[in-house]
Amino acid sequence: MTMDLVIEVDNEPGALALVAKAISDAGVNIAAATCLGPDDRPELHILVKHAEAARHALALTQLAVAREREVADVEVDDRPGVLADLAGKVAAAGINLDLVFGSDDLARLRAVLDG
């Protein structure tokens, strides 16, 4: 299961490097990352399959996971139009995305993406 870990970080050079090093030192692969918010403490979203190990590694560096949730993990072909097709299926099912691919209705989202 893929988890979206949200970490509040200082908006300064090296913040992402610190998080990425802690997680990689724990042997956890980061599947994706994005940072949201222009404030002094933006939210860093890190997608990992081994959340427990990542949480532990972050705690050792005095970083904490503010919140987390399971997200849909989808492998797709690397070609134009794939995201448009998937997003169209999700929209047709009436599912609102709040993170690609995160939703408050994960079960339905997975069913649509797998179908």
Side-chain angles (χ1 to χ4, degrees), residues 1-67:
M1 115 177 59
T2 301
M3 299 296 290
D4 169 27
L5 305 181
V6 179
I7 305 132
E8 292 179 0
V9 294
D10 291 328
N11 192 2
E12 63 187 23
L16 175 60
L18 179 66
V19 170
K21 180 161 179 21
I23 293 172
S24 69
D25 285 351
V28 176
N29 184 49
I30 297 172
T34 191
C35 197
L36 303 172
D39 299 329
D40 290 339
R41 300 267 308 159
E43 292 183 340
L44 178 60
H45 289 253
I46 302 285
L47 301 187
V48 297
K49 288 192 182 285
H50 304 284
E52 184 62 37
R55 273 193 306 275
H56 179 71
L58 290 167
L60 292 175
T61 61
Q62 306 304 310
L63 293 168
V65 174
R67 64 185 187 283

Side-chain angles (χ1 to χ4, degrees), residues 69-74 86-91 93-115:
R69 68 177 177 163
E70 187 177 358
V71 294
D73 186 7
V74 181
L86 287 174
K89 286 181 183 179
V90 171
I95 300 169
N96 186 44
L97 295 175
D98 53 25
L99 183 72
V100 178
F101 277 96
S103 174
D104 62 358
D105 193 348
L106 191 58
R108 280 186 56 225
L109 176 59
R110 281 200 174 117
V112 169
L113 293 173
D114 291 340

